[in-house]
Amino acid sequence: MKVVRWVLGLIVMALHGLTLPRRGKRSPQQLQQLEEALQGFALYQLPTCPFCVKVRRSLRRLNLPLELRDVRGDARHRQDLIEGGGRMKVPCLRIDHQDGHTEWMYESDDIVAFLNKRFPLDDAH
Ligand SMILES: N[C@@H](CCC(=O)N[C@@H](CS)C(=O)NCC(=O)O)C(=O)O
C-alpha cells in the first residue's frame, strides 16, 4: 500500500510539474503588499498529496507568496496542525487573524474558493 501511494505521489508530482499553470501577473508593489497581508497565513501540506497540489496550483495562478509547511518533513508543523486544527489532515490553511484568533481551514475546495475571493487577480495586469 505504501509503495502504491508512493508511485501515485510521483505521478501526481510529475503531472503537476509538466502542466504547471501560468503564474498570475502582479506588480512588484502588489507583491510586496501581498507579502505583508499574508504574514499570518500558512498552508500545512504534503508535496505529493493531490488535494495539496490542487491548492498549490491555485496559489501559483493567483501568484500568492504564501508559506508552505510540510507536515511530514517537519514534526513541529505536524504537531501544530494536530493541536491547532484538531486533525492530521492536509491541506489545511492556517489564518492568524488580527484579533488574535487562529482559524484552521480544511478542505481544498474551501481553501481555493477563499483565496480566490480574498486575493483576486487584478485583470489590468
Ligand atoms: N476532501 C479533502 C481530502 C483531503 C485528504 O484526503 N487528504 C489526505 C492526504 S492526500 C489526508 O490528509 N488524509 C488523512 C486523513 O484524512 O486523516 C480535501 O479536498 O482537502
Side-chain angles (χ1 to χ4, degrees):
M1 196 60 196
K2 237 181 171 180
V3 177
V4 174
R5 233 182 290 151
W6 183 74
V7 172
L8 283 177
L10 278 186
I11 293 172
V12 166
M13 290 287 281
L15 285 176
H16 169 55
L18 288 171
T19 62
L20 276 181
R22 190 185 294 252
R23 198 183 290 282
K25 286 195 181 142
R26 295 193 190 267
S27 68
Q29 192 188 359
Q30 282 178 321
L31 281 172
Q32 198 178 338
Q33 283 169 351
L34 268 178
E35 254 172 53
E36 280 160 33
L38 288 166
Q39 282 296 321
F41 288 72
L43 183 71
Y44 289 74
Q45 55 105 40
L46 285 171
T48 55
C49 156
F51 304 98
C52 302
V53 168
K54 178 167 76 178
V55 176
R56 294 206 306 275
R57 291 174 75 84
S58 137
L59 290 178
R60 190 179 162 90
R61 267 188 219 103
L62 291 171
N63 198 353
L64 295 180
L66 197 150
E67 183 188 343
L68 303 180
R69 295 186 179 165
D70 186 331
V71 296
R72 194 166 290 149
D74 191 322
R76 209 180 19 156
H77 292 333
R78 183 186 169 89
Q79 200 54 34
D80 285 348
L81 175 62
I82 295 169
E83 283 174 10
R87 272 182 292 167
M88 176 45 218
K89 188 173 185 178
V90 288
C92 180
L93 180 66
R94 173 182 175 153
I95 309 167
D96 288 330
H97 290 281
Q98 289 191 336
D99 65 6
H101 100 273
T102 298
E103 183 180 352
W104 298 82
M105 187 183 290
Y106 288 93
E107 288 305 318
S108 53
D109 284 344
D110 292 347
I111 297 171
V112 169
F114 169 81
L115 293 173
N116 276 311
K117 191 167 176 202
R118 178 82 178 261
F119 304 105
L121 270 180
D122 177 358
D123 289 334
H125 287 93

